[in-house]
Amino acid sequence: MLVQHRFHLLIHFIENLEIRQGHGLFLILPKCTPLKESQCSPVLKKQRKMEEFIENYYNDCKHSKPLMSKEDRLTEIYLQLETEGDYFHTEDELVWAAKTAWRNASRCSGRNLWQTLKVIDKRDAKTGPENI
């Protein structure tokens, strides 16, 4: 039953894809119609924020090589959104987001040190002492 449900979700996801060709690559993107922000469902709002985040991440990380291509990452995230209703940032995305937030904090006098920030990913911690 669970396999059949996941198969149905995957078919639904594939039916709602749009394939574009550019620069010798095929991009697989979800079909979407332009809507005003007020007309968007919560899922579509989350998807748009995710797309903006990923676009900024890959534009800002051109000097360092991300672990997967932007198209592969977007496809992975769309599948997570479709099957789980949410997606999870990679550790590299978390580090980039924390450093970028500090870099862009205009009122912070120490923001010129943003590149030295050490980020520790504790999302797997189950108890209090593990969070320290």
Side-chain angles (χ1 to χ4, degrees):
M1 184 69 170
L2 181 61
V3 172
Q4 184 180 15
H5 177 68
R6 286 190 177 177
F7 181 73
H8 173 72
L9 287 174
L10 183 61
I11 294 299
H12 174 72
F13 177 75
I14 291 171
E15 288 173 348
N16 289 301
L17 292 179
E18 174 182 337
I19 299 174
R20 297 183 195 167
Q21 183 179 7
H23 304 292
L25 300 172
F26 288 97
L27 302 178
I28 302 173
L29 304 169
K31 293 179 183 173
C32 60
T33 56
L35 295 173
K36 294 179 182 172
E37 196 66 27
S38 61
Q39 296 173 315
C40 293
S41 69
V43 173
L44 189 55
K45 285 180 184 180
K46 185 181 288 191
Q47 181 178 330
R48 286 185 176 177
K49 285 181 180 181
M50 173 275 302
E51 289 169 350
E52 181 181 355
F53 177 87
I54 294 297
E55 187 70 32
N56 289 335
Y57 170 72
Y58 277 88
N59 286 340
D60 207 25
C61 293
K62 287 182 180 175
H63 60 280
S64 64
K65 189 81 170 156
L67 297 175
M68 62 176 56
S69 72
K70 181 168 84 172
E71 292 76 23
D72 289 345
R73 180 64 179 133
L74 284 171
T75 302
E76 179 181 74
I77 292 171
Y78 291 133
L79 280 172
Q80 283 182 353
L81 283 172
E82 185 71 30
T83 57
E84 300 173 29
D86 209 348
Y87 75 100
F88 303 96
H89 293 293
T90 64
E91 188 172 346
D92 287 343
E93 290 168 354
L94 285 177
V95 170
W96 172 82
K99 288 183 176 185
T100 302
W102 191 14
R103 179 187 71 194
N104 295 341
S106 61
R107 299 181 72 175
C108 180
S109 60
R111 74 184 180 136
N112 59 335
L113 301 172
W114 68 271
Q115 290 177 318
T116 63
L117 179 67
K118 300 287 186 227
V119 178
I120 300 171
D121 184 2
K122 290 291 190 174
R123 291 180 288 180
D124 294 337
K126 302 284 187 240
T127 63
E130 291 177 359
N131 288 322
I132 298 174

